[in-house]
Amino acid sequence: MNLVFLGPPGAGKGTIASEAKNHFDIPHISTGDLFRSHIKGETELGQQVKAILAAGDLVPDSVTIEMVKQRLAESDAQKGFILDGFPRTVVQADALAEMKGLDAVINFVLDREQIVKRLSGRRVCKSTGKTYHIMYNPPKVEGIDDETGEALIQRDDDKPEAILNRLSVYEKQTEPLIAYYREKGLLIDIDAAPSPDVVLASLIKAVEK
Ligand code: AP5
């Protein structure tokens, strides 16, 4: 099963992908996570993209496409994948079409007010990447990761200015992909507003249909 998760920042793509990957037994490939892991490891690519991510801008297509090409060539991705956060531009979508066929593109639909609430309340564990929300999915002890006991952090790009920029970048550069994939008959709209369990169940039902 080759799936793409499309949708605005904060719509819940990563949250749902972390469960859907077990159901479909395929890897969850998040370009945001790949970039953050390069930043954490202080690689050359990490240094190149650090300021871009913090501002909420897009990494250049050529860099992103090459990184995804390499990841999709790994053995675990041969049985299928969930691509979360890629493609984000028409150039990336065209490049993906040359690499792999797709079974479906899931479009996570959520209104702007909810997006801002989800992003501003998100907290993450820096070492494991586990995601919480201060209201919707709080840790057992406030500000502390349930598993590692480490202090949770707020992503640089979840600060108010970066959130507004990410939304504007999404509208200009990524939203056109909705029509792109609808035309190809691949798009499945999913209401991302209900609880994660409900969103996951409707996604599985829609994909398996
Ligand atoms: P990336 O990490 O992909 O950011 P994003 O697309 O903006 O997505 P998010 O991770 O912010 O949101 P999400 O939809 O996964 O939501 P989540 O599940 O966490 O990319 C970061 C940056 O990397 C980009 O800005 C760019 O610079 C660069 N980049 C990445 N890909 C690129 C590409 N292809 N090209 C160029 N540059 C690229 O949920 C959000 C919050 O809501 C959490 O707190 C969660 O607990 C909560 N929540 C989730 N679901 C629910 C629910 N159903 N009910 C209540 N709360 C919920």
Side-chain angles (χ1 to χ4, degrees):
M1 182 81 69
N2 294 353
L3 300 174
V4 163
F5 281 11
L6 183 68
K13 303 178 297 293
T15 300
I16 302 303
S18 65
E19 297 297 328
K21 69 172 184 184
N22 300 325
H23 179 85
F24 295 113
D25 190 26
I26 49 179
H28 166 204
I29 301 173
S30 154
T31 38
D33 286 348
L34 291 174
F35 286 131
R36 281 185 289 276
S37 129
H38 276 281
I39 292 170
K40 197 171 147 207
E42 297 181 347
T43 66
E44 206 182 316
L45 175 60
Q47 283 164 14
Q48 197 185 331
V49 303
K50 190 172 180 186
I52 299 177
L53 266 83
D57 291 321
L58 292 188
V59 174
D61 285 333
S62 56
V63 176
T64 309
I65 290 166
E66 187 50 38
M67 182 181 75
V68 170
K69 207 177 202 171
Q70 285 179 19
R71 180 63 187 85
L72 287 178
E74 286 177 30
S75 60
D76 65 335
Q78 305 320 307
K79 60 179 176 181
F81 50 80
I82 297 171
L83 268 177
D84 162 11
F86 183 94
R88 258 177 157 97
T89 64
V90 172
V91 172
Q92 292 180 12
D94 287 341
L96 177 61
E98 294 192 357
M99 291 179 227
K100 296 277 183 184
L102 296 176
D103 294 299
V105 175
I106 314 298
N107 179 33
F108 285 67
V109 181
L110 192 67
D111 66 44
R112 198 180 170 99
E113 192 188 334
Q114 281 301 318
I115 290 170
V116 173
K117 274 191 189 156
R118 286 190 187 177
L119 290 175
S120 48
R122 174 166 57 188
R123 299 291 181 272
V124 292
C125 173
K126 202 171 179 183
S127 57
T128 66
K130 187 166 177 200
T131 299
Y132 298 85
H133 190 282
I134 53 174
M135 279 163 64
Y136 308 135
N137 178 25
K140 291 183 186 122
V141 178
E142 192 183 328
I144 302 293
D145 181 59
D146 291 346
E147 286 152 25
T148 63
E150 288 171 41
L152 298 175
I153 58 149
Q154 184 173 35
R155 272 169 48 174
D156 285 341
D157 60 351
D158 282 345
K159 310 220 163 119
E161 264 182 35
I163 290 179
L164 293 181
N165 187 39
R166 285 161 74 199
L167 283 168
S168 141
V169 167
Y170 170 76
E171 281 161 15
K172 284 193 201 119
Q173 305 203 54
T174 308
E175 224 167 38
L177 292 181
I178 295 176
Y180 176 103
Y181 283 121
R182 204 184 295 283
E183 242 169 57
K184 293 188 187 310
L186 286 169
L187 200 80
I188 300 175
D189 289 316
I190 292 285
D191 178 9
S195 68
D197 288 354
V198 173
V199 177
L200 178 67
S202 56
L203 183 150
I204 290 171
K205 198 172 156 199
V207 168
E208 291 182 343
K209 202 164 82 180

